[in-house]
Amino acid sequence: MIALLRGKVAVLEDDHVILDVQGVGYLVHAPARTLQRLPGPGEAAQLHIETQMREDAITLFGFLEPGERQWFRILQTVQGVGSRVALAILGVLGPAELVAAVAAQDKAAFSRASGVGARLATRLVTELKDRVGELPHGAAAAAPAAGAAGGGGGAIEDALEALVRLGFARTDAYAAVTRVRAAAGGEPGVDVLIRESLKELAR
């Protein structure tokens, strides 16, 4: 199984790259974010590879970081997510953003990806929420997520919903609320959470 390719970019397209490795051209599908970060034709590049074997084809998927490859695998454990949808999600959300979206239960963040409707977005945040601490780049989000489920969960959720109604993205609002709660060192009320979170979001 191919796990890593290092060579020169031969062809760079919207949904794939052909990597020339010592005269052999490997066609590698990759998320849009990955393709945008690759150098131009003739330049050296390295990709972490996920190899998928089917009866009629061997398909290579490439990622700049091992965490992206791991997320590619994890996303496909959710019913309704195949390789195409997983690539689309990774095309709009990096590992850290994915963890934040899951922790914040931000369905809108997942819905930005082509092929992800409201029902699938709900399934993604629901099925992944209990695994936040295990996810790539998940350590930083694990503590706030656990805290939200604890004694201050009601106040946090109320403040979060208020901020979302004010027009803030749920992921951004969640990050601000959890920072305010951590800085307070206790269980601040909803009004304090909203007021201080607005200050955080205005920075």
Side-chain angles (χ1 to χ4, degrees):
M1 183 180 73
I2 298 172
L4 182 74
L5 286 176
R6 185 183 297 117
K8 292 183 178 180
V9 175
V11 177
L12 190 58
E13 298 289 348
D14 291 339
D15 63 347
H16 70 271
V17 59
I18 297 178
L19 204 60
D20 183 340
V21 181
Q22 297 181 348
V24 178
Y26 292 86
L27 191 152
V28 183
H29 298 276
R33 287 165 55 100
T34 297
L35 295 168
Q36 291 164 4
R37 292 161 63 193
L38 286 175
E43 299 294 321
Q46 174 178 293
L47 290 172
H48 297 272
I49 301 296
E50 177 73 6
T51 305
Q52 289 190 353
M53 301 183 68
R54 302 283 189 267
E55 290 183 2
D56 58 346
I58 298 175
T59 307
L60 305 180
F61 300 92
F63 310 91
L64 292 176
E65 305 167 11
E68 293 176 330
R69 180 176 61 189
Q70 192 174 346
W71 262 106
F72 181 69
R73 296 169 180 166
I74 290 167
L75 288 167
Q76 291 178 85
T77 65
V78 177
Q79 182 183 357
V81 178
S83 58
R84 182 183 62 81
V85 172
L87 284 181
I89 293 170
L90 287 165
V92 297
L93 298 169
E97 295 165 313
L98 281 163
V99 170
V102 172
Q105 295 290 281
D106 188 355
K107 294 176 283 188
F110 283 97
S111 296
R112 288 164 44 202
S114 175
V116 179
R119 183 176 299 179
L120 182 53
T122 300
R123 189 181 301 138
L124 281 159
V125 297
T126 301
E127 293 190 19
L128 296 175
K129 67 179 179 181
D130 294 329
R131 301 174 59 187
V132 169
E134 308 167 11
L135 301 175
H137 296 270
I156 287 177
E157 185 60 29
D158 289 345
L160 181 56
E161 292 302 327
L163 292 168
V164 169
R165 285 196 297 272
L166 288 172
F168 293 100
R170 189 176 178 89
T171 301
D172 295 338
Y174 181 84
V177 169
T178 51
R179 283 197 301 269
V180 168
R181 180 175 181 270
E187 300 297 345
V190 176
D191 55 340
V192 173
L193 285 171
I194 294 173
R195 183 178 66 249
E196 297 303 315
S197 294
L198 286 170
K199 293 177 183 177
E200 286 278 330
L201 291 162
R203 291 178 182 174

